[in-house]
Amino acid sequence: MSIRRQRRRRRQPAAAASAPSASEAGKGNPVKAPLPGVVTKVLVKAGQAVKKGENILVLEAMKMENNITAENDGTVTAVCVNPGDSVLEGTVLLTID
């Protein structure tokens, strides 16, 4: 009797058209992920005005929800992630100009 090994391919999330890469994010100050996790909610849209300290994104890490806040006043120039995306520490989440 022979044992067959099957390779399991990890499913890569499909890139959404509304989430540009960090290099395409445009001008502005990048807001980066403080720790690795999964984006559960994006609370802002490109073109939306935000104030310093306003919640802009929710990141789940270690089974805890972490609110990511705006680091400065401005306008969101690009959102680089979508809900369900896994991110590493330092990944650009969005930019604010």
Side-chain angles (χ1 to χ4, degrees), residues 54-74:
E54 182 179 342
N55 289 340
I56 54 176
L57 190 131
V58 179
L59 184 68
E60 183 181 320
M62 299 181 282
K63 301 197 181 208
M64 294 180 64
E65 288 188 343
N66 300 281
N67 291 320
I68 308 301
T69 59
E71 298 168 354
N72 56 327
D73 293 347

Side-chain angles (χ1 to χ4, degrees), residues 28-31 50-54 69-75 96-97:
N29 298 322
V31 176
V50 294
K51 295 189 182 249
K52 183 177 181 176
E54 182 179 342
T69 59
E71 298 168 354
N72 56 327
D73 293 347
T75 303
I96 299 174
D97 187 30

Side-chain angles (χ1 to χ4, degrees), residues 11-52:
R11 289 181 45 183
Q12 297 294 328
S18 63
S21 67
S23 61
E24 299 171 344
K27 65 179 184 173
N29 298 322
V31 176
K32 297 181 180 181
L35 65 166
V38 177
V39 176
T40 56
K41 296 177 190 172
V42 178
L43 305 172
V44 295
K45 297 178 182 177
Q48 183 176 337
V50 294
K51 295 189 182 249
K52 183 177 181 176

